[in-house]
Amino acid sequence: MITDVFEGEYGLEGSFDWELFGEVIEVQLYDGADIEYAEKCAESLQNLPEETVQAIWEAAKRYCLYFIDICGDEWDDWNEMSIDVTEDMPAEEIKTEIYPSVLIVDKPEGDGIGFHLECGCTWEVEHGLEITILDGKLVYLGPFESCGAWDNFPPDKVWNFVNDVDRTGIV
């Protein structure tokens, strides 16, 4: 699954064709992660359960709507999205505004399969988007914070858009 593997500055690197997006993305292995484990991560990513894929779309839509809300009137000045994101739109439409670039594989901390992805998104070009998966379940989606799969993800953390919590009053 991972092709064009070479030794990079920080460890092994390669390429992976993520069918969900129809994109070839970079793969980076850190902290001594080995290629066998990275292959398991790539396989897990390629075969995400449908409920996880839907959770990604829902969380990304929440993230986008929040960002639009905090931008207020300025949003219209720099909005470059190809779609109008609304509460009523099907969440999977947000896919056209997400641009995955790197599958990040850290050394595992236990028996599970965990990884995170660095992505761009048209609504938040400065901080982008990060998707973190542990054992086929979405555990983090929000601005890129380099959230490894074994990090702590409390259910009330407002910057984790997996959590459907009240975000009024935060900026």
Side-chain angles (χ1 to χ4, degrees):
M1 294 195 121
I2 299 173
T3 59
D4 306 320
V5 177
F6 65 96
E7 185 70 38
E9 185 176 348
Y10 302 105
L12 291 178
E13 297 183 26
S15 301
F16 169 70
D17 185 0
W18 190 9
E19 292 174 4
L20 180 65
F21 281 90
E23 295 283 336
V24 174
I25 61 174
E26 188 177 336
V27 179
Q28 296 177 351
L29 286 67
Y30 290 101
D31 304 322
D34 61 43
I35 194 67
E36 290 81 18
Y37 176 70
E39 286 285 346
K40 290 178 185 178
C41 292
E43 182 178 344
S44 175
L45 180 58
Q46 199 71 285
N47 297 300
L48 288 176
E50 184 55 39
E51 58 268 13
T52 301
V53 172
Q54 189 61 37
I56 290 169
W57 307 144
E58 295 289 341
K61 179 180 162 184
R62 274 194 290 279
Y63 178 24
C64 182
L65 287 169
Y66 173 76
F67 191 78
I68 291 169
D69 184 55
I70 64 169
C71 289
D73 293 338
E74 293 177 9
W75 175 251
D76 291 333
D77 295 338
W78 26 279
N79 174 13
E80 295 189 16
M81 296 182 69
S82 63
I83 61 173
D84 288 327
V85 179
T86 66
E87 290 283 347
D88 298 331
M89 71 170 241
E92 56 272 7
E93 289 182 19
I94 200 75
K95 176 182 177 182
T96 62
E97 306 300 320
I98 298 172
Y99 307 96
S101 59
V102 184
L103 167 59
I104 302 166
V105 179
D106 299 312
K107 186 174 181 179
E109 295 179 21
D111 296 330
I113 302 295
F115 49 88
H116 48 125
L117 295 128
E118 181 178 353
C119 305
C121 60
T122 53
W123 65 88
E124 217 310 15
V125 295
E126 184 177 349
H127 298 104
L129 174 101
E130 182 172 14
I131 299 169
T132 305
I133 305 285
L134 179 59
D135 293 330
K137 183 175 186 261
L138 180 65
V139 294
Y140 176 83
L141 188 144
F144 190 84
E145 297 287 338
S146 196
C147 294
W150 288 272
D151 289 355
N152 184 21
F153 300 101
D156 60 346
K157 184 175 180 180
V158 295
W159 294 112
N160 185 352
F161 289 86
V162 172
N163 303 329
D164 190 11
V165 297
D166 179 20
R167 293 182 172 84
T168 56
I170 64 166
V171 176

